[in-house]
Amino acid sequence: DMASLDFRAKLSSVRVPTLILAGRFDRVAIPRYSVQYKRFMPGAQFVMFEQSGHLPFIEEPKRHDAILREFLKK
């Protein structure tokens, strides 16, 4: 079952550019867990959307789009 899966130790082997987006008020993907991904993937870019829940692309669209566009240029 899903509760027994823990792939965090393998995240350090990811070699592709990675963007981690989190909404401060997300009740689905809880922010404290999203922050952990950055710890396990030191090369990843992490962005916290301070005014968003689970849908930053709707709740903060201008900021979301700017961050995504900049990331995709790299």
Side-chain angles (χ1 to χ4, degrees), residues 17-19 43-46 67-74:
T18 304
L19 176 61
Q45 179 182 341
F46 177 83
I67 290 167
L68 188 58
R69 282 191 180 97
E70 188 62 33
F71 178 77
L72 293 173
K73 284 181 186 178
K74 297 178 184 178

Side-chain angles (χ1 to χ4, degrees), residues 2-73:
M2 291 297 288
S4 66
L5 288 176
D6 187 358
F7 56 88
R8 292 175 293 178
K10 295 181 180 186
L11 290 176
S12 65
S13 66
V14 173
R15 299 289 178 242
V16 296
T18 304
L19 176 61
I20 302 166
L21 304 176
R24 174 68 65 194
F25 304 104
D26 194 334
R27 292 178 177 237
V28 178
I30 301 169
R32 73 172 174 233
Y33 296 119
S34 298
V35 171
Q36 283 185 9
Y37 288 114
K38 175 59 178 157
R39 190 168 1 120
F40 289 106
M41 300 175 77
Q45 179 182 341
F46 177 83
V47 178
M48 179 67 73
F49 287 84
E50 297 294 341
Q51 305 301 314
S52 294
H54 191 62
L55 304 170
F57 62 94
I58 292 174
E59 297 161 309
E60 295 182 65
K62 288 181 182 178
R63 182 169 182 237
H64 175 274
D65 291 354
I67 290 167
L68 188 58
R69 282 191 180 97
E70 188 62 33
F71 178 77
L72 293 173
K73 284 181 186 178

